[in-house]
Amino acid sequence: NTTTCSPNGYGDYFASVAPANVEAGSNMPITVRVPTTWTEQVSVWIDYNKNAVFEPNEFIHLGSNATGGTINASIPVPATAQLGATRMRVRVRFATALTSGQACTTYRFGETEDYQVNITPCVVMNLTSQPADRSVACGGNTSFAVTATGTAPVYQWQFRTSAAALWQNVTNGGVYSGATTATLSLAFVPISMSGYQYRVVYSGGCRATDFSSAGTLTVTPMIATINPAGSIVRCSSSTTPTAI
């Protein structure tokens, strides 16, 4: 919604602007654009328990426009939020940040606008597919993946070097990318990683942390066409094939 300053610094758009649908237990993305001429502080309240009172635990400070006129943030919607339409208040104040108890306080320079959000049920996250075993030639690329249903899925891939080893979190870099997504990608896989196992630790807006079954990686020796004759190609324990 785009507005200029409202009369008395207050604009009620609860009924005139279509409500946003958000799932309980999810992170609701929000963007607020304010003038760049002055430093503005932006805060939001959402009446999660629908008692017509903006309480301190319904508050979040989004930040300021000190680095530009657009503030991009997210609001964690509690899984316990009451379902249905409720009021969201966005407040902008010059220079000084608002605190949780200032949903209705007066100030000289700023703007207050009310909107409607519709809170929908949190859907329990479940995996609908598990990581499958993968076989790849040394120096090749592969991936492990899961699919899921449910609200606000969160992923963290883990690996272990053998079935008897401890699980460790995967971090992006080197061989790996997508360590916190539904698909873990591996590039230029070395022969030394043959036998590694992979699983994903996952959670959701209304789902406790759990983990998938494990998929096993098999790395096979590279089969090379050698040209010119007499060259030797080997697959090393490094992340890329080596020619000597």
Side-chain angles (χ1 to χ4, degrees), residues 3 7-11 13 30-35 39-46 54 58-65 71 75 87-115:
T3 64
N8 301 314
Y10 174 69
Y13 302 100
I30 185 169
T31 297
V32 181
R33 287 183 291 272
V34 291
T39 298
E40 306 283 2
Q41 302 282 347
V42 181
S43 296
V44 172
W45 289 258
I46 298 177
F54 289 121
E58 299 173 331
F59 163 84
I60 185 169
H61 178 62
L62 301 186
S64 77
N65 67 331
I71 299 171
I75 300 174
R87 187 173 294 266
M88 176 179 73
R89 175 161 295 176
V90 182
R91 304 201 83 189
V92 178
R93 181 162 72 175
F94 170 68
T96 305
L98 290 151
T99 60
S100 61
Q102 295 180 317
C104 301
T105 190
T106 59
Y107 46 84
R108 187 174 180 186
F109 298 111
E111 173 86 356
T112 299
E113 296 182 356
D114 282 356
Y115 296 92

